[in-house]
Structures are given as C-alpha cells and as structure tokens.
Amino acid sequence: MWFTKRQVVRPCSRLVVRKPCRRSLHANFAKSLDESKRTLQHSSKFESGCSKLHRRCLSASATLTQEDEDLVDDHEKNEYERMNLYLAINSALDIALQTDPDAILFGEDVAFGGVFRCSVDLKDRFGSERVFNTPLSEQGLVAFGIGYAAMGKTAIAEVQFADYIFPAFDQIVNEAAKYRYRSGNQFNVGGLTIRAPYGAVGHGGHYHSQSPEAYFTHTPGLKVVVPRNPIEAKGLLLSSIRDPN
C-alpha cells in the first residue's frame, strides 16, 4: 500500500514498514539512493544530509568497503535534477517499467497520464499492453492486480483518490494480505503495489480529502508507506515495487 499526500506541508509520521535486517538495509538503500540520486527537493544542504544518512546506513550494517566509499563519493559529486513530487513518481514508475519486463501499470485514467500527471508519457514509451486504463471499479482493478501478482508478475495498481479505495477493502484485507498465509507460503502476491494519493485537495470534500491509510496499518500482511518529499517518494516507490513481500 503506497499513499502519496498531495499537499505536503509537514513531515508525516504515519509510516508503517517492517524493520529490515541490516544487510537488507545496506543493499536496498544503496540501490534506491543510486537510482534516485538525480532527484533533489532542496539544495546542497539536502544533498549533504542524504549522503550522511547513506553513510550511517552503511556503517550500521558493516564496515565500509572501498566500493561503498566510492558509491558515497560518486553520489556527492553528481549533479542533481530538481523534481517535484509528481515528477519523482513518474521517474520511479519509468524505471520500474524499464527494468522489469513483467511490470504493468494500470488504474483509473493512467493511460493518458492520470489526474495528477504521474503517468505522463508512460503509455507511449511502454505500450498499451503495459500501461492501460481499467473500468471505474476499485474492487475489480485490485482483484486483477492480485491475480497478476499471484503468477509471479509485478502489478502496479493506481486508485485515483485514496478515498475511492473502500470498495476494494475486501480484496486488499481479506485476499491480498492473507494470500501467502492461507496457501502455507506456496503462493503470494508480493509483486502487488497499490498506489493512492490522499489528503486535502482543498475543494474535494468528503470523497477527495480523506486519509484512509490508518485502516490498513492494522492489517497483518500489508505494508503501508507514506513518503513526505520527492526523493523519498521515488526511492520508496521503487522499493515497494521491488519488495517481494
């Protein structure tokens, strides 16, 4: 479950993820940082802070190797491209589709770029068989993603507004979350990522301004991720898509 706040004005504390092992933290953070190094929210201050965070993550898992040092030094020397939140998400989806031939992106209005423009040009780059619209049925599109992921594929489902996710509640909580458990670990839908923007639109009222992510944080079998800025959005979205759990 991957929620994006549309108007980010303060750090969000509603982040629930499984604590990874140190080796996993080392590998996943290094990979995500390398791919998102061209995404920058602020200036050199943020860049320096990101490098320091990387050093702490690496040192927490093991003694820095020369390869690790080179990666950090290379990161600090690189030039960065400024991105806002939607450009960072678009870049992450682009990378996911490029690097995984089994990945597909689907949902309400994603084929023409989405109402928040997060999937702009992706249909033109990857074709209508990998980036396509679904009927206006959240229950249906999530169920389709569960079936696709159950075959070992990568499904990236988009619910246009997080408020619309409630019709899919049964599929998410009773099917996706329990798939591995009920099959005795023979099958899973770890390749499923559901992305949904949430928070105040400013004029959306009761169907476009809710924050439903807390409902899902209480469900074993689900991971809920809420990034607070562009660089986190890109790195965490890629990590969510690649996470096999």
Side-chain angles (χ1 to χ4, degrees):
M1 301 294 298
W2 200 89
F3 291 86
T4 308
K5 190 172 179 62
R6 290 189 292 273
Q7 295 181 347
V8 180
V9 295
R10 63 184 185 279
C12 181
S13 61
R14 296 189 291 272
L15 175 62
V16 179
V17 294
R18 185 183 66 184
K19 185 177 179 181
C21 67
R22 289 183 173 183
R23 182 178 298 176
S24 175
L25 180 66
H26 179 172
N28 290 338
F29 193 90
K31 185 174 182 180
S32 296
L33 182 63
D34 184 55
E35 290 180 334
S36 61
K37 63 187 178 182
R38 297 185 62 78
T39 306
L40 180 65
Q41 184 189 23
H42 297 303
S43 60
S44 58
K45 180 179 179 181
F46 188 85
E47 176 186 343
S48 175
C50 192
S51 296
K52 290 177 182 177
L53 176 61
H54 186 205
R55 286 185 185 276
R56 288 201 300 271
C57 287
L58 291 176
S59 60
S61 59
T63 303
L64 286 175
T65 65
Q66 185 59 47
E67 182 180 356
D68 296 329
E69 290 283 4
D70 291 343
L71 176 61
V72 175
D73 292 339
D74 179 65
H75 168 71
E76 292 174 343
K77 293 174 183 176
N78 267 285
E79 295 182 358
Y80 292 83
E81 178 184 346
R82 290 183 179 272
M83 291 185 181
N84 58 23
L85 192 63
Y86 98 84
L87 287 173
I89 294 170
N90 180 269
S91 179
L93 293 172
D94 187 20
I95 291 172
L97 291 166
Q98 280 187 53
T99 56
D100 184 352
D102 288 329
I104 59 172
L105 172 65
F106 56 93
E108 297 158 345
D109 298 325
V110 300
F112 78 84
V115 293
F116 298 107
R117 318 311 296 156
C118 291
S119 54
V120 168
D121 296 332
L122 295 181
K123 179 185 175 183
D124 294 336
R125 292 179 199 168
F126 301 102
S128 59
E129 292 187 354
R130 297 186 64 197
V131 180
F132 52 89
N133 292 333
T134 63
L136 299 180
S137 170
E138 289 76 23
Q139 183 181 27
L141 74 89
V142 171
F144 170 78
I146 291 172
Y148 189 76
M151 298 189 298
K153 310 290 187 178
T154 303
I156 309 168
E158 179 176 318
V159 176
Q160 192 173 81
F161 286 85
D163 308 55
Y164 301 167
I165 208 167
F166 295 112
F169 197 91
D170 174 62
Q171 289 293 321
I172 296 170
V173 172
N174 286 326
E175 302 298 333
K178 298 176 174 64
Y179 211 95
R180 189 191 300 269
Y181 173 71
R182 74 179 187 181
S183 70
N185 202 32
Q186 295 184 67
F187 309 102
N188 68 82
V189 292
L192 172 64
T193 299
I194 303 169
R195 198 182 71 80
Y198 84 99
V201 143
H203 58 272
H206 60 303
Y207 284 141
H208 299 81
S209 301
Q210 299 176 73
S211 300
E213 69 280 0
Y215 290 110
F216 300 103
T217 63
H218 300 283
T219 304
L222 298 179
K223 293 183 180 180
V224 179
V225 180
V226 185
R228 68 177 183 177
N229 56 46
I231 197 166
E232 286 188 5
K234 183 173 181 178
L236 287 172
L237 179 53
L238 280 169
S239 296
S240 298
I241 293 169
R242 291 167 172 168
D243 189 348
N245 294 303

